[in-house]
Amino acid sequence: MKIFKNALLFGFIFLTSLTVFSQSKITGVVVDGEFNQPLAGASVVVKGTTAGTATDFDGKFEISTSEKAGVIVVSFLGYETKTVSYTITGNSLNLGNIVVSPDAGQLDEVVVVGRGIIDLAKERKTPIAVSTIKAAEIQAKVGTADVTQAMVNTPSVYVAGQSGGYGDSRITVRGFQQDNTAFLLNGQPINGMEDGKMYWSNWSGMSDIANFIQVQRGLGSSKLAISSVGGTVNFVTKATDKKEGGFVSMGVANSDYFKSTAAYNTGMNAKGFGMSIMMSHWQGDGYNQGTRGEGQNYFISFGYKPNEKHNFNFLITGAPQSHDQNFTKRISDYLGFGRKYNNNFGYLNGQYISERTNFYHKPVANLNWDFNINSTTSLSTVLYASWGRGGGTGNYGGGKRSISQLNPYTGSNQSTYIDFDQIYANNLADADGVGTGSNYAIRASMNNHAWYGIVSNFKKELNENLNLNFGLDLRTYNGDHYRQISNFVGLNGWSESRFLRDNNHVIPNPNTLPSATNTVNQSYNINPWYAFFNVADDNQKIDYDYSETISYGGVFGQLEYSNDNFSTFFQGSISNQTHQRFDYYDYQKEFQDSEKISNVGYNVKGGAAYNFAEKHSVYANAGFYSRQPYHDNIYLNFTNQVNPLTENEKVLGLEAGYTYKSKIFTASLNGYRTTWEDRVVTTSTVQAADGTIGTTPVLAGDVIFTSNQGVKQVHSGLELDFVVKPLATLDIKGFASFGNWEYEGKAFSRRFDENLNLLVENETDLDGGKVGDAAQTTWGLGARYEIFERFSIDADWRNYDKLYSNVAAKDNLELPSYDLVDAGISYKMLVGKEKQNSVNFRFNMNNVFDEVYLSELTSNIKTTDNISSSNPGLGTYQSNGRVYKGVADGNFGYFGLGRTWNFTIRYNF
């Protein structure tokens, strides 16, 4: 028996040895085709067997198999599955790089242009705090929202303003608003040259054409002379596709939203030519009352690659649109008339009319040239241009009439919807039919511009470890601003008189100045296509008519050293910016040209990183910016008078971080401290009731602007984000950010109305006040699970806390914290003879649990404040029970969107 057992044991060992020694090793590296970077955590298996593994941090894999010939299957969530046939002739086989492509669905990107211009974090080895959002996620998560929705699961990013209407959202990064975050499109700056702001309605097609979005928080990796106070957001669009194909799609959503899109790619022919084109149309009623909108998106790209040294791509894209707008309301208004209440519209003879419509068409064109001079030297250049036409409508004159209704919540009557029937009757009764200050018309405030620029970067690999970049950034911008009539509402014309300013810029004694009278009789269509090709004649402009020219020239450079475990870099840039204003309406002819102002700005950045173990790395960066003030802050109160207090704003950024990466878990921890001095911030509110500010009468519904200068901001915080991949079919991700954003010192405050009249000036102590408009503490957790092949579900949860009102105040008002949950389902069905085509289905539901929350406030009324300052006997908000979730109901703001949904079906061929 013992002999039998020994023989059996020997036989088992012998057979096992034969099996082991007969196996061969297959190795390789899985590479992300979109970023040309190793892809960690990808599943690699031998088809038809249990032999498999996952790629490590460097994208490498090793499989032992007894199959001498077969097929390797590589898969990763969000990427197309890749199969590779193999034959092993010895004991091992190295498959080299296996490139997998993102499953983007729309205009799949193959050719990426302007690599030397588009400053991505991956192009520099010294790291930064960064989050990259790929096309597949953008297209899945955005739905009917602005492209800003794609960034909601990013640390220290807060998205607000969606309740204003289509395209009216905005984002803050690390507590800094959009004019202090740099936005780039294929390497070209796209922040407004006058005020640094972003208007997402001009970019409504971005979710269709974006190849990826990279949010670089803090100093960022951009080499341009731009001040990334909060961060830098890079939008990289698709270029001309190498393969023939295309797609058609249709989407529907809540509020009667509909969108249709079609795209076609010719593919690159034998001579290196190719073209990609996409067109879409959308329309909807808007989530809130009176926020209808519609528009189109177009994208046309021509590619030409004559040889391996040169690559050219020309693209033009635009998103003409119009949408009606909702402004902030008192909480008591929402509680009385519903959270979707909007009083910016009414009816004339039963036909809907909005008083507030934004309409714009801004084509953007750029020509990219990549020149690979040799194996160590390259030159990338982009020539770009944009032409904007359009503006926003509003009431003009003092003849506005509104319908009075009972507010069920307050028990009092108040003016609500606009009574256009009464306005029309009053205008018809005017003796000569020509309106003046006591009548009513709808005006359009036009903001037209032409912008041209070039960015060029030269890159040289000095040796194996040292890289040098340097280049130039040139821009010229001309803006035209005036008002015209869009609807006379029964009038035949409009007449107004004004005194003409001299070089004193103000009107100390109007009797000593000449005057002018202007009568207009033409109204202009606010269709964005019409507005793009039809500009009002000078004699048809009202209220104001001025232009500005801004010229910008900068040079930049970067030197980076890196080896296997250590990297360090230094960046520097310097720029000169000139401004001049031309006022044709309010100034005498000889005084129409302002003084030309020139300002020099610069920035320096440096940092280092160290990989102290295979999975661990640390970094630290520092930067200082001396940023020129924006044009709108150089000239006082929208006149030609130069602001004597304006100087370069000073920004100091410090940041450090730690990263851990393994096959199944990746995490980053970042800390930062940013100071911003000599700052200028402008905010706006809506006047609650007729009254006076200073000595000037103002009307209910007027927009009041407040400009604050001089105060210092200090923003510090910690950010954590991580990704866990416990299974090949499951992704788990999360983030957390803890900020402390405060003011230091005093602010000099100016208030003016929407007709640009100065109302009052004040000095305000803001020391220790909390910076508002973004949640300082946020948490998020998300997961995506592939239930079976090509069918997945996903969900994201976010919590927002320490959110303060969007005002500059020492004792700022804190809003209630809130939670949001978004969820979605995706299915991809393969069709066609070779299963190379597909039909994609996607359903999203945002705010699944219909959370009721205040997304932003623009006032700072406390519960202990009196309801009426003129009649203290009425008591406080608290004593009258006028409190909502701990907030006085007299505050102005927006409720966030409730539960929304969207569904898209797309056929790819």
Side-chain angles (χ1 to χ4, degrees):
M1 186 69 175
K2 185 177 181 180
I3 296 175
F4 174 75
K5 287 182 177 179
N6 290 338
L8 186 62
L9 178 60
F10 175 79
F12 175 75
I13 294 173
F14 177 75
L15 291 173
T16 302
S17 300
L18 286 176
T19 303
V20 171
F21 286 110
S22 67
Q23 287 195 334
S24 302
K25 290 183 179 180
I26 302 175
T27 59
V29 180
V30 178
V31 177
D32 179 344
E34 187 173 34
F35 294 96
N36 195 30
Q37 294 290 298
L39 189 62
S43 172
V44 184
V45 298
V46 178
K47 189 174 182 179
T49 73
T50 58
T53 186
T55 56
D56 64 14
F57 167 65
D58 296 317
K60 297 178 180 178
F61 67 89
E62 180 181 303
I63 298 177
S64 296
T65 179
S66 59
E67 302 288 335
K68 293 294 185 178
V71 175
I72 292 288
V73 180
V74 181
S75 62
F76 193 80
L77 281 178
Y79 289 77
E80 295 179 348
T81 300
K82 183 73 172 282
T83 59
V84 180
S85 299
Y86 73 89
T87 301
I88 304 175
T89 56
N91 293 324
S92 64
L93 175 65
N94 186 346
L95 294 175
N97 287 351
I98 300 175
V99 180
V100 293
S101 300
D103 185 9
Q106 293 187 9
L107 286 176
D108 293 331
E109 170 66 7
V110 175
V111 181
V112 177
V113 294
R115 284 194 177 276
I117 299 299
I118 304 170
D119 290 310
L120 302 178
K122 71 180 184 67
E123 302 292 347
R124 194 182 71 196
K125 293 185 179 181
T126 309
I128 56 174
V130 64
S131 299
T132 300
I133 306 152
K134 300 180 182 179
E137 183 176 356
I138 297 169
Q139 293 161 10
K141 297 295 182 69
V142 169
T144 62
D146 299 338
V147 72
T148 54
Q149 180 68 23
M151 294 175 261
V152 296
N153 295 306
T154 305
S156 296
V157 172
Y158 186 74
V159 179
Q162 299 100 317
S163 296
Y166 293 113
D168 281 351
S169 68
R170 64 182 191 281
I171 69 171
T172 60
V173 181
R174 287 184 174 175
F176 293 101
Q177 296 180 352
Q178 295 182 145
D179 55 345
N180 290 293
T181 299
F183 295 91
L184 302 173
L185 174 68
N186 290 342
Q188 71 181 68
I190 57 175
N191 293 74
M193 286 281 282
E194 301 165 26
D195 54 16
K197 295 180 180 179
M198 285 290 294
Y199 301 93
W200 296 106
S201 56
N202 298 336
W203 308 99
S204 62
M206 188 66 74
S207 59
D208 293 324
I209 66 173
N211 192 26
F212 58 88
I213 302 170
Q214 192 172 86
V215 182
Q216 302 173 2
R217 304 183 297 279
L219 296 172
S221 64
S222 176
K223 297 183 287 290
L224 302 184
I226 53 177
S227 56
S228 304
V229 185
T232 302
V233 179
N234 282 280
F235 295 97
V236 180
T237 69
K238 302 174 184 301
T240 307
D241 202 323
K242 281 186 176 178
K243 63 183 180 181
E244 184 180 8
F247 73 91
V248 291
S249 70
M250 181 184 72
V252 293
N254 56 278
S255 306
D256 289 332
Y257 182 90
F258 171 80
K259 181 178 180 179
S260 58
T261 309
Y264 176 68
N265 316 306
T266 65
M268 302 293 281
N269 63 25
K271 294 184 178 180
F273 286 96
M275 182 180 74
S276 295
I277 183 170
M278 187 209 71
M279 302 285 184
S280 70
H281 173 83
W282 64 270
Q283 61 188 56
D285 288 343
Y287 181 82
N288 288 301
Q289 298 176 7
T291 55
R292 298 179 182 178
E294 70 173 273
Q296 296 79 38
N297 308 317
Y298 56 87
F299 172 87
I300 304 172
S301 179
F302 297 93
Y304 176 50
K305 189 172 184 179
N307 51 52
E308 292 304 315
K309 284 186 174 292
H310 299 277
N311 187 21
F312 298 91
N313 198 90
F314 172 79
L315 70 83
I316 184 167
T317 183
Q321 58 79 39
S322 64
H323 69 277
D324 299 339
Q325 296 178 292
N326 179 31
F327 290 164
T328 58
K329 306 288 185 296
R330 285 172 296 207
I331 297 174
S332 59
D333 295 340
Y334 293 118
L335 297 178
F337 300 109
R339 296 199 311 275
K340 296 184 178 182
Y341 172 63
N342 177 16
N343 60 353
N344 287 340
F345 71 97
Y347 295 88
L348 177 59
N349 295 324
Q351 297 296 313
Y352 166 91
I353 298 180
S354 175
E355 183 183 70
R356 299 282 183 168
T357 300
N358 175 278
F359 58 102
Y360 217 77
H361 185 185
K362 182 180 180 176
V364 176
N366 63 52
L367 173 64
N368 282 273
W369 172 37
D370 290 325
F371 178 22
N372 294 318
I373 301 172
N374 55 46
S375 61
T376 62
T377 311
S378 63
L379 176 69
S380 290
T381 303
V382 58
L383 291 165
Y384 64 88
S386 70
W387 308 269
R389 301 288 187 272
T393 67
N395 60 298
Y396 199 62
K400 183 175 180 178
R401 297 293 182 268
S402 298
I403 297 172
S404 181
Q405 290 184 302
L406 176 69
N407 185 323
Y409 171 75
T410 62
S412 59
N413 286 319
Q414 68 180 75
S415 297
T416 56
Y417 307 100
I418 302 171
D419 191 350
F420 281 109
D421 287 326
Q422 186 61 57
I423 292 171
Y424 188 83
N426 293 346
N427 282 345
L428 282 183
D430 188 90
D432 60 2
V434 177
T436 57
S438 60
N439 292 101
Y440 175 97
I442 298 178
R443 50 79 183 164
S445 300
M446 305 298 292
N447 298 291
N448 301 339
H449 77 253
W451 184 352
Y452 305 94
I454 179 174
V455 180
S456 187
N457 180 73
F458 178 83
K459 181 179 180 180
K460 176 68 176 179
E461 295 180 16
L462 300 178
N463 57 46
E464 184 180 356
N465 303 113
L466 195 62
N467 289 320
L468 172 67
N469 287 268
F470 63 86
L472 57 85
D473 174 13
L474 305 176
R475 315 171 210 165
T476 181
Y477 173 96
N478 184 81
D480 297 315
H481 309 275
Y482 57 89
R483 281 182 169 173
Q484 61 191 28
I485 297 295
S486 64
N487 191 335
F488 282 111
V489 197
L491 295 171
N492 298 320
W494 190 276
S495 181
E496 59 188 20
S497 300
R498 76 274 187 194
F499 292 98
L500 299 179
R501 302 172 191 263
D502 56 22
N503 256 353
N504 293 318
H505 309 293
V506 294
I507 310 178
N509 184 1
N511 294 325
T512 65
L513 294 174
S515 62
T517 298
N518 188 39
T519 301
V520 300
N521 56 19
Q522 185 173 344
S523 62
Y524 291 85
N525 194 319
I526 60 173
N527 179 286
W529 287 100
Y530 177 91
F532 187 79
F533 296 102
N534 293 273
V535 177
D537 294 332
D538 288 345
N539 62 3
Q540 294 296 317
K541 297 174 181 178
I542 59 171
D543 199 27
Y544 58 79
D545 177 17
Y546 65 92
S547 301
E548 70 272 318
T549 298
I550 305 171
S551 297
Y552 179 101
V555 293
F556 56 83
Q558 174 182 284
L559 186 66
E560 182 175 36
Y561 171 84
S562 64
N563 56 33
D564 290 341
N565 296 315
F566 175 77
S567 68
T568 183
F569 81 98
F570 175 80
Q571 284 182 4
S573 64
I574 187 169
S575 62
N576 183 66
Q577 190 163 276
T578 63
H579 303 259
Q580 190 168 19
R581 189 176 186 277
F582 311 92
D583 197 313
Y584 313 111
Y585 197 82
D586 288 325
Y587 279 81
Q588 301 171 42
K589 189 173 183 60
E590 60 269 31
F591 302 115
Q592 290 178 351
D593 297 359
S594 76
E595 177 186 354
K596 182 181 288 187
I597 302 297
S598 294
N599 291 301
V600 175
Y602 65 90
N603 65 45
V604 290
K605 294 188 285 186
Y610 179 61
N611 299 323
F612 60 88
E614 181 182 359
K615 300 176 182 178
H616 307 268
S617 63
V618 292
Y619 78 91
N621 298 322
F624 179 79
Y625 296 94
S626 176
R627 184 180 76 177
Q628 303 100 317
Y630 285 120
H631 178 91
D632 285 354
N633 296 318
I634 290 176
Y635 299 100
L636 282 172
N637 308 319
F638 297 94
T639 71
N640 286 350
Q641 183 179 12
V642 176
N643 186 347
L645 301 177
T646 297
E647 58 183 298
N648 279 17
E649 299 173 12
K650 302 174 181 64
V651 181
L652 175 64
L654 304 172
E655 58 189 22
Y658 162 76
T659 299
Y660 173 85
K661 291 186 177 181
S662 69
K663 289 182 179 180
I664 64 171
F665 180 71
T666 300
S668 296
L669 178 66
N670 302 286
Y672 64 91
R673 187 178 191 271
T674 304
T675 60
W676 177 29
E677 299 181 67
D678 300 323
R679 54 182 291 272
V680 178
V681 173
T682 300
T683 59
S684 62
T685 57
V686 178
Q687 180 68 15
D690 294 353
T692 58
I693 296 179
T695 59
T696 304
V698 291
L699 301 176
D702 284 353
V703 178
I704 306 300
F705 298 93
T706 302
S707 176
N708 296 294
Q709 284 183 267
V711 73
K712 178 179 179 180
Q713 282 182 212
V714 180
H715 294 224
S716 57
L718 290 173
E719 300 164 338
L720 171 69
D721 58 291
F722 64 87
V723 176
V724 185
K725 191 174 179 61
L727 304 170
T729 56
L730 177 63
D731 277 346
I732 300 172
K733 59 183 179 180
F735 71 90
S737 55
F738 309 92
N740 183 38
W741 311 328
E742 294 184 341
Y743 297 104
E744 283 188 9
K746 296 181 180 181
F748 187 70
S749 175
R750 292 185 180 89
R751 302 183 73 190
F752 47 90
D753 63 21
E754 59 183 297
N755 293 320
L756 315 183
N757 298 311
L758 178 65
L759 303 176
V760 69
E761 295 182 346
N762 291 299
E763 187 178 80
T764 307
D765 179 17
L766 298 178
D767 194 52
K770 296 294 184 180
V771 176
D773 200 35
Q776 301 199 15
T777 299
T778 58
W779 301 79
L781 189 65
R784 180 185 179 189
Y785 180 64
E786 191 171 17
I787 300 174
F788 54 82
E789 189 176 6
R790 302 187 306 278
F791 180 77
S792 64
I793 59 173
D794 56 82
D796 296 288
W797 161 80
R798 300 182 299 278
N799 173 266
Y800 299 97
D801 196 14
K802 303 299 180 183
L803 171 62
Y804 297 89
S805 183
N806 185 19
V807 297
K810 186 178 180 68
D811 182 21
N812 205 354
L813 178 65
E814 184 175 354
L815 282 68
S817 61
Y818 64 93
D819 299 87
L820 293 178
V821 175
D822 302 331
I825 302 173
S826 296
Y827 176 62
K828 180 178 180 179
M829 181 174 64
L830 302 181
V831 295
K833 274 187 180 181
E834 311 243 339
K835 302 293 184 183
Q836 292 187 348
N837 300 338
S838 66
V839 180
N840 293 358
F841 303 88
R842 174 69 185 184
F843 177 79
N844 284 315
M845 183 173 287
N846 295 327
N847 193 1
V848 172
F849 299 105
D850 203 19
E851 174 96 349
V852 178
Y853 64 99
L854 292 166
S855 62
E856 57 186 299
L857 292 180
T858 58
S859 57
N860 190 32
I861 300 172
K862 303 296 193 300
T863 58
T864 53
D865 290 345
N866 290 322
I867 289 178
S868 172
S869 58
S870 61
N871 188 3
L874 295 177
T876 66
Y877 286 92
Q878 190 171 37
S879 66
N880 283 272
R882 297 277 300 275
V883 176
Y884 175 79
K885 292 187 176 182
V887 178
D889 67 15
N891 280 289
F892 279 75
Y894 289 116
F895 276 92
L897 303 187
R899 184 186 296 117
T900 60
W901 62 269
N902 60 81
F903 173 75
T904 303
I905 180 172
R906 181 168 59 246
Y907 172 61
N908 302 293
F909 58 90

